[in-house]
Amino acid sequence: MKYRYILFLVIIGLLYSCKPELDEFSPSQGSADFSTYVALGNSLTAGYADGALYLSGQENSYPNILAKQFQKAGGGSFSLPLMPNEDGIGISITPQGMALTTKLILGFKTDCLDKTSLAPIQLVENPDQLELFGQLTAPVAGPVNNFGVYGAKSVHLLAPGYGDPAGLVTPIPTANPYYVRFASSAISTILGDAISTLPTFFTLWIGNNDVLGYALSGGIGDTITTPFWFGAYMKTIIETLNATGAKGAVANIPSVTSIPFFNTIPYNALELKVQAQVDALNGAYAPYNQLMELNGLPYRINFNLGYNPMVIFDNGMPLPPEYAQYKFRQITTNEIILLSTPQDSIKCAGWGSQVPIGDQYILTESEILEINNAINGYNETIKGLATQYNLALVDANSALITLQGGIVSDGITLTSTYITGNAFSLDGVHLTPIGNAYIANLFVAAINSKYSAKLPTVSLTNYQSVILP
Amino acid sequence: MRKIALLTVFLVFASSFLFAGGYQVRLQGQKQTGIGLIGTPFAFGASSIFYNPGSLSFMKENYSFSAGVSGIFSNAIYGAKGSDYIAETSNPTGTPFYFYGAGKIIDDLTVGVGVFTPFGSSTKWDDMWNGRYLVQEISLSAIFIQPTVSYKINEKFGLGAGLDIVMGNVDLSKAIASPVNGQFNMQGKSTALGFNVGAYIKPTDKLNIGIDYRSKVNMKVTGGEAKFTEIPSSLTTYFPSSANFDAELPLPANLDFGLSYQVSEKFLLAAELNIIFWSAYDSLIIDFEVNNEKLVDSRSPREYRNSFIPRLGAEYKFNDKLIARAGVYYDATPTNEDYFSPETISLNQFAFTLGLSYMPIKGLSIDLSYLQLEGLEADKTYTPDNFGGTYKSRAFIPGIGLSYNF
């Protein structure tokens, strides 16, 4: 009798010790070799976010996320040129000139109407410029694997002296403080420094700034790199990398209109609620409409109750020189008002209604066309070179277009909506850690497919987005 | 709106029962558990109150009492698709129990009452696991109190019916994703009614047939308490620390057909088919009594399908003091391919059971049972949250019971 009971209990005990198990996922490198990985690119690669480069932003950069996945498949250590703190340093270009800033955080801001709401604010107001400059240009010791440099265009990867501290103070600066930090010498190039690490694998995502400088300034500052020159620079970069025997992945350039900086303020943000206001505005613009009619031009400014297209300056209007002061019109549905437009000026100074919004805050249809043509040209080049050199191609452009419709992963919704969309940081251009994880997964998928590797994807749940107070 | 609330309760229920498809737990008698959880074609005494009130009046003695408890040791594992990420549950031990008492008023009329727990579930994942925006922890429990009457029409046919008074509890916690970031917990109670009717037929001395129908019970939570915690201060006006909700969770109806055959004096074979009307669980709706711009009612699709469980069992009587039992069954998941939530890890399951009854003195039986469930590995996704991967589960359920007839 007792035997049976004991046997019974023993069986139960044995069975209880066995928890369910799944086949292990065993990562592998396939035909790639991740032992020395370098990342080349611009601010997106560097981990710039919230308008600044700061410590945790760098740690959450997509190359660093990717490197951790590589390490599961034979990858080696991955060093970042880390900033000294979480405050960060950014460059802000304002009508008053260039200034160094700390990162943006979400805080409470009182507007000109005395209404307080959540808005991006500087972590430190009016920081000491010399102190930030000193911090930014202090040399970084130790090896570097992430060669992403804020502001870099394709040509800058090849530019000797781009990391020369002397080039920061020339009348027209020829150096970039974000590269000065970790450049190996005064004459080194970003590409040369990357190659000196003897990489076995590289990622390359460059070209965004070749149009972004133009786009962020409303088409009045900076110029677009022509697709011809972009192609020439890219060919040199990829050929040089390929000559080392390293394998790699190259990402294409997303359309600027897929990022919040360009799609947050609607063209018709001007809301009129009172008929008297509508009448007053229409009366004020009556002479303008007459003038346009006399000159046989199609421009008319007209307001109605509800949402109205903003009034903007447009230097491209074909008006005779004597009417140059009339180069303004209502914006069309296909045109863009930039996130940099001062909100208080719209709310309290009549911008967009009584006062046309300045050209530096607007992308007109022709400017958008120029930008899109350039990006299309770049992306053809990138695709061609990826095929020619047998590299994994990351279609960041399609991925960010997909984001406009929204994607969901592990219960997190990702969209290109400013602040609440989880993907973009407070500057409206650069990614949040969640956004970087999304990009890292694009690289993982492309690399797995190209090199028959088996890299694990990352879960977006391990990363943060904009932090609300 | 009320319906939304009910669904929430369901959600809670849904998560708890790893071992019986959805959140049902049939461990309401150790003798039945040992023989593959087959109950309808037997007249084991008071435990027929749950399995088949129609056979209650066939109990041999004038009084019958039965009580027991099981321990559910269950674990599930989740592996993310295309990733090395793995998570395991650390579920608390579930303890379904039962107590039945019955007595004959006159020879052919028996009355009784049962207290038992045929539905329930508890699933606990790590607070920081990758599915935390779907569920972190859930526990569902329902206690049934069932006064029952059974009438033996003749030596070959009995009928019985019971009224179920059901008290349910639900407690669910999950994390709230960015950009909000925070914690959500909801707790609710519910009381509802249902019924259980059964018929018992003995066409010959050796063959017994049982049919039982247990109705759906709609567990409605009205005015449950929802708590939002760790919410950024700029959002606390939208997500209050305490809010009321309504929800509803259906405990599905069951239709069971069973038969047993006395092959020899010592050997008995039995088979049963259960139809579980899980399609009642369509979605889980949480209806907040006060909504705002950001706090909106939620509807989470579940779209369960009706499921069938075939069971086989056997009993061997060594002597007047010792009976051994064994059984097997296959329980196909009622869950929908696209709406598989980690709150109820209900996979296709294969189960085997063992049982032993020892009768030291006349009328007294000590009943032991053992049930093991293997949730078969499968790839599942909850599409609204795009949360998918490979799941597998296992449960060990030892049980002990006593019954006394006099």
Side-chain angles (χ1 to χ4, degrees):
Chain A
M1 251 5 215
K2 276 183 180 170
Y3 281 117
R4 290 205 178 98
Y5 288 117
I6 290 166
L7 188 66
F8 195 73
L9 290 173
V10 166
I11 290 169
I12 289 169
L14 279 175
L15 292 171
Y16 181 54
S17 63
C18 313
K19 288 185 172 185
E21 282 178 11
L22 294 173
D23 289 341
E24 252 177 72
F25 179 97
S26 19
S28 68
Q29 60 180 12
S31 58
D33 174 358
F34 304 121
S35 54
T36 306
Y37 162 46
V38 293
L40 291 117
N42 49 44
S43 48
L44 291 165
T45 299
Y48 194 92
D50 301 315
L53 190 67
Y54 59 95
L55 198 64
S56 65
Q58 293 175 290
E59 284 165 347
N60 288 307
S61 63
Y62 76 84
N64 202 40
I65 295 171
L66 205 51
K68 286 183 191 143
Q69 303 309 92
F70 288 168
Q71 279 156 12
K72 296 171 180 176
S77 63
F78 189 79
S79 299
L80 304 163
L82 287 173
M83 293 292 284
N85 57 45
E86 279 295 293
D87 290 3
I89 302 173
I91 295 183
S92 141
I93 300 159
T94 66
Q96 289 77 43
M98 215 167 75
L100 295 178
T101 60
T102 54
K103 72 176 175 186
L104 297 166
I105 55 166
L106 208 51
F108 291 96
K109 198 172 173 179
T110 305
D111 69 8
C112 56
L113 301 169
D114 221 24
K115 198 183 155 205
T116 301
S117 59
L118 275 183
I121 55 172
Q122 290 290 336
L123 177 65
V124 178
E125 285 293 339
N126 303 315
D128 185 324
Q129 293 291 302
L130 276 180
E131 193 189 324
L132 289 191
F133 187 78
Q135 273 181 20
L136 180 56
T137 52
V140 178
V144 168
N145 291 81
N146 188 342
F147 290 91
V149 172
Y150 169 81
K153 299 182 179 186
S154 54
V155 66
H156 292 139
L157 299 196
L158 305 164
Y162 196 55
D164 179 4
L168 294 173
V169 291
T170 49
I172 299 168
T174 54
N176 179 329
Y178 291 92
Y179 179 45
V180 168
R181 300 180 63 231
F182 63 87
S184 64
S185 78
I187 54 155
S188 64
T189 64
I190 297 173
L191 181 63
D193 279 354
I195 281 183
S196 71
T197 64
L198 307 175
T200 60
F201 197 86
F202 67 88
T203 59
L204 175 65
W205 193 13
I206 193 82
N208 314 64
N209 287 322
D210 292 68
V211 285
L212 212 49
Y214 177 83
L216 292 172
S217 64
I220 62 167
D222 211 359
T223 51
I224 295 176
T225 309
T226 63
F228 173 82
W229 282 108
F230 177 82
Y233 303 140
M234 279 301 270
K235 191 167 169 60
T236 309
I237 295 165
I238 289 178
E239 253 177 9
T240 312
L241 286 164
N242 185 61
T244 66
K247 288 172 176 165
V250 56
N252 66 8
I253 308 303
S255 164
V256 296
T257 50
S258 61
I259 63 180
F261 194 86
F262 301 96
N263 64 20
T264 298
I265 304 180
Y267 79 100
N268 62 348
L270 178 66
E271 190 185 7
L272 298 175
K273 294 173 179 168
V274 185
Q275 188 60 42
Q277 210 182 352
V278 173
D279 295 342
L281 281 169
N282 283 336
Y285 282 107
Y288 169 95
N289 289 338
Q290 278 168 15
L291 180 85
M292 292 297 157
E293 199 172 345
L294 278 175
N295 281 278
L297 290 168
Y299 307 106
R300 299 291 181 274
I301 293 177
N302 183 40
F303 296 95
N304 294 298
L305 278 178
Y307 290 98
N308 290 272
M310 300 277 222
V311 178
I312 60 164
F313 277 115
D314 178 8
N315 261 324
M317 282 165 65
L319 281 171
E322 65 267 32
Y323 298 125
Q325 74 269 33
Y326 290 101
K327 287 193 170 183
F328 55 83
R329 59 179 171 85
Q330 270 178 309
I331 195 168
T332 67
T333 53
N334 299 326
E335 297 178 317
I336 287 171
I337 302 171
L338 306 188
L339 189 59
S340 49
T341 314
Q343 293 301 298
D344 275 355
S345 300
I346 295 178
K347 287 176 192 159
C348 301
W351 281 32
S353 52
Q354 299 158 36
V355 182
I357 297 175
D359 205 4
Q360 72 267 36
Y361 302 117
I362 303 297
L363 287 181
T364 61
E365 234 171 315
S366 61
E367 288 165 343
I368 295 167
L369 187 68
E370 270 186 84
I371 292 166
N372 289 344
N373 285 343
I375 291 174
N376 291 340
Y378 299 173
N379 286 346
E380 271 175 48
T381 295
I382 291 169
K383 194 177 175 185
L385 290 169
T387 309
Q388 187 184 344
Y389 292 97
N390 211 16
L391 302 170
L393 176 64
V394 177
D395 191 355
N397 186 27
S398 297
L400 289 197
I401 290 168
T402 306
L403 219 49
Q404 286 186 278
I407 64 130
V408 181
S409 177
D410 291 354
I412 294 180
T413 304
L414 224 59
T415 69
S416 53
T417 306
Y418 186 47
I419 299 182
T420 56
N422 283 327
F424 288 93
S425 71
L426 291 170
D427 59 35
V429 174
H430 298 96
L431 301 163
T432 59
I434 290 180
N436 272 288
Y438 174 66
I439 296 293
N441 280 339
L442 301 179
F443 275 90
V444 164
I447 292 166
N448 281 346
S449 155
K450 185 77 199 174
Y451 298 109
S452 306
K454 204 175 163 196
L455 295 170
T457 56
V458 296
S459 173
L460 302 190
T461 61
N462 296 331
Y463 299 89
Q464 286 185 319
S465 69
V466 172
I467 294 166
L468 276 73
Chain B
M1 278 326 189
R2 288 282 146 89
K3 284 188 179 168
I4 299 191
L6 283 172
L7 286 174
T8 312
V9 181
F10 269 122
L11 174 62
V12 181
F13 279 110
S15 57
S16 52
F17 291 106
L18 277 181
F19 48 97
Y23 37 83
Q24 192 174 20
V25 190
R26 284 173 162 258
L27 304 161
Q28 309 306 325
Q30 304 306 2
K31 292 189 179 82
Q32 290 90 340
T33 301
I35 192 164
L37 285 161
I38 296 171
T40 46
F42 299 123
F44 284 144
S47 57
S48 297
I49 287 171
F50 172 75
Y51 288 98
N52 182 356
S55 69
L56 182 64
S57 52
F58 281 74
M59 64 189 214
K60 293 182 185 82
E61 314 294 337
N62 284 333
Y63 297 97
S64 174
F65 293 92
S66 183
V69 64
S70 297
I72 300 173
F73 303 93
S74 65
N75 283 97
I77 187 166
Y78 162 82
K81 209 170 209 106
S83 164
D84 51 350
Y85 178 78
I86 277 182
E88 284 177 68
T89 57
S90 50
N91 299 336
T93 305
T95 51
F97 64 89
Y98 59 84
F99 171 79
Y100 307 101
K104 285 186 178 170
I105 294 181
I106 54 169
D107 212 22
D108 294 333
L109 184 68
T110 305
V111 295
V113 67
V115 182
F116 47 89
T117 56
F119 289 93
S121 144
S122 47
T123 301
K124 181 172 169 37
W125 295 96
D126 185 86
D127 277 354
M128 285 305 290
W129 87 294
N130 285 0
R132 63 184 178 275
Y133 302 127
L134 290 86
V135 66
Q136 288 164 317
E137 188 171 0
I138 181 167
S139 102
L140 279 170
S141 60
I143 296 180
F144 281 52
I145 298 173
Q146 184 187 305
T148 305
V149 57
S150 179
Y151 187 66
K152 185 158 80 174
I153 292 165
N154 57 40
E155 289 308 313
K156 297 196 172 202
F157 191 53
L159 284 175
L163 174 73
D164 289 306
I165 300 142
V166 184
M167 287 156 292
N169 260 301
V170 60
D171 189 333
L172 167 75
S173 296
K174 63 179 185 174
I176 305 170
S178 295
V180 176
N181 282 311
Q183 274 288 325
F184 174 71
N185 171 265
M186 57 179 241
Q187 294 178 29
K189 285 184 195 321
S190 167
T191 302
L193 294 177
F195 64 87
N196 183 1
V197 292
Y200 182 65
I201 309 153
K202 283 173 75 78
T204 73
D205 272 358
K206 292 182 171 177
L207 183 67
N208 297 343
I209 298 170
I211 301 168
D212 183 64
Y213 179 78
R214 282 188 300 285
S215 72
K216 174 170 121 171
V217 179
N218 249 344
M219 301 303 290
K220 290 190 188 186
V221 172
T222 307
E225 194 189 13
K227 290 180 206 160
F228 293 94
T229 53
E230 297 166 42
I231 299 287
S233 61
S234 57
L235 296 177
T236 47
T237 49
Y238 301 104
F239 301 99
S241 56
S242 178
N244 288 325
F245 72 92
D246 296 345
E248 179 176 321
L249 184 73
L251 307 181
N254 279 237
L255 180 59
D256 305 336
F257 300 97
L259 45 93
S260 71
Y261 188 73
Q262 195 74 46
V263 179
S264 69
E265 197 186 321
K266 296 196 162 194
F267 192 56
L268 174 140
L269 280 176
E272 189 172 90
L273 179 70
N274 308 140
I275 304 164
I276 301 152
F277 297 91
W278 276 116
S279 62
Y281 190 23
D282 177 69
S283 50
L284 179 62
I285 299 170
I286 301 177
D287 173 14
F288 293 103
E289 285 176 4
V290 181
N291 293 110
N292 61 52
E293 186 190 330
K294 296 191 167 63
L295 181 62
V296 294
D297 297 336
S298 77
R299 179 190 174 275
S300 310
R302 293 292 179 268
E303 298 189 15
Y304 274 33
R305 287 160 306 197
N306 294 343
S307 70
F308 300 87
I309 309 175
R311 305 174 184 278
L312 283 175
E315 182 181 283
Y316 188 79
K317 189 174 178 180
F318 289 97
N319 52 46
D320 283 348
K321 289 188 185 260
L322 191 67
I323 297 174
R325 302 185 180 91
V328 290
Y329 65 87
Y330 182 75
D331 186 356
T333 179
T335 57
N336 184 295
E337 207 56 38
D338 295 328
Y339 302 113
F340 189 93
S341 166
E343 82 211 357
T344 309
I345 304 120
S346 174
L347 301 162
N348 289 335
Q349 296 184 111
F350 178 77
F352 74 86
T353 69
L354 297 170
L356 205 62
S357 285
Y358 177 57
M359 291 139 290
I361 55 169
K362 183 172 163 32
L364 178 70
S365 173
I366 301 162
D367 305 315
L368 300 174
S369 74
Y370 176 74
L371 169 60
Q372 183 168 339
L373 283 136
E374 293 290 327
L376 306 179
E377 186 174 319
D379 287 351
K380 302 280 182 183
T381 303
Y382 187 68
T383 47
D385 287 322
N386 191 17
F387 184 81
T390 307
Y391 291 90
K392 196 174 182 179
S393 67
R394 185 173 286 168
F396 311 103
I397 308 164
I400 184 162
L402 279 177
S403 48
Y404 190 54
N405 302 316
F406 57 97

